[in-house]
Amino acid sequence: MRSRHIRLSAISLSALLALTLSACGASGSDGASGDDADKPFIVYFTGDYSGAVSTNNASLDAGIKIAAEEFNAAGGINGRKIVVETANDQNDPTKAVSLLQQRLSSGSKPDLVYPGGSSAVSLSLLPILSRQKILSVGGTVSTLLNDPAKFPYHFGISSPGKDYAPALISEAKAKGYKKIAMLYSNDATGQSSAEIYKEAVEGAGMQFVEARYEATALDMTSQLSQLRAQDPDALILNGYGAAALYVMRSRAQIGWDVPSYCDQLASGFPYMKNLDAGQLKNINVVVSTATLASTEPHPGLAGFIEKIKKGPAADGIASTGVGLYTTGHDALALVVYAAQQAKSTDSDKVKAELEKLPQPTGAPLWYSGGPAGQYVQYAYTAQDHFPTASEETFQYVAPGVFDGDGFYASGKA
C-alpha cells in the first residue's frame, strides 16, 4: 500500500513544486538583486569522497544534486541557476579547512556550504564561514554546532543529538534500568554524544558510567571489560563508520550480551550485513520514524527515489537508506524555500527568513520530516538553529536492513 500511495501522489507533488516556486517568484527578476542576479547560486559541498565514509557521502552528494536539478527545472533559486561544487576533504578537518580556504581565495565565494560529513569537520569550517557571512546547512548534529551567537549563518538539517536521548530514556524507564554505561569515541563527535546521554541518564535519576576509545582503534575489548566490571543494566554504544563495527565485534569477543543501544551515529552502520545473530544479541538501533518501512512516507519520495535509482549513487540506497539522500536534498530545499519567502538570495536576508520560517501547509519541499512535516519541523529561531523533534520522531528497534526503496525494515536480514 505504501509504494502505491507514493507513486500516485508523486504527480501531485511535482505540480505543487512548480506552483510553489512560481508563486514565490523563483523565476522572477525580483528574487536576486544587483550583480548576483545573473550569477549562478554556488553550493559548495565538502565531504569524504575516497575514505571510510565515502558511501555515506555519495548518498548526501546525490541528494543535493538531485535537488539542484529539480529546482533548476522550476526556475532555480529566485531566478539564479544552482551549481553544485564538490571537495574531497576525506573527513579530515585540517584538509577541509585548507580546501575551503583555497576555494575562497580563488574568486567569488559560494552562496551555500554543506560543511562536511562529521561534526569535527563542521566545527573546523564554521568559524571561517561565519567570518565570510556564508550560509551553511548540514546534517552533522553536535550540540556545539547549534550556537547562533558564534555561528550565526549555520543551520542544522538533522535533529541534534539531544533529540535522540528521549527514546533511550523511555526505553530505560520501561525496563527499570538503574545504571547505564556508555562507550564512545574520544573525539569531538563522541564526546558531544556522551555529554548528551550523561545529562539525560542522570537527569532521569539513573547512574551513568563511561569509557572512551581512540577514534583509530580497532579493538575496544579493554574498555568494554572495564564497563562490564561495573555491572550496568544497559550499554550505550557510539561509533562512526567502521568504528561502530569494531565496537560490536569487541562486544561479541568478550561475550557480553547486555542490552545495548546504539546512538544516532552507531545506528547507521549496516550490521546485518557484517555480523551474525549471536553478535547482535540484545542490540538496538535508533531510527527516524519517517524512514521506517511501516511508516507512511512523504508523498514526494516516490519520484525522488526513482531519480536516485537512475543516478550514479543508486547502489547506496540499499546500504545507507533513503535518509542520507533526503538530508542532502533538504539542505538545499530549505534554503530555496527561505529565499522564496525573503525574495532574495542575500545571506543575511535568507538567514533572517530561516529564523522565522513559516511552516508550509501540506507536503513541504523537504522530505525528511515525513508527511506534512509531522515528525520533524524546521521551526528555527534566532536562538535555536536546529530542527524541532516530536515524541514520535525516533524509535529504538532491532537491527534490520533497508528495503529496495531505502526504508528501514527492522529485524529483517
Side-chain angles (χ1 to χ4, degrees), residues 111-129:
D111 297 279
L112 173 66
V113 171
Y114 189 98
S118 71
S119 293
V121 170
S122 297
L123 287 166
S124 73
L125 297 179
L126 292 196
I128 301 171
L129 298 176

Side-chain angles (χ1 to χ4, degrees), residues 78-92:
N78 291 14
R80 297 177 65 186
K81 180 182 179 181
I82 300 166
V83 175
V84 179
E85 298 178 356
T86 60
N88 182 13
D89 61 34
Q90 297 177 305
N91 203 33
D92 180 339

Side-chain angles (χ1 to χ4, degrees), residues 20 66 176 203 390:
T20 302
I66 290 173
S390 71

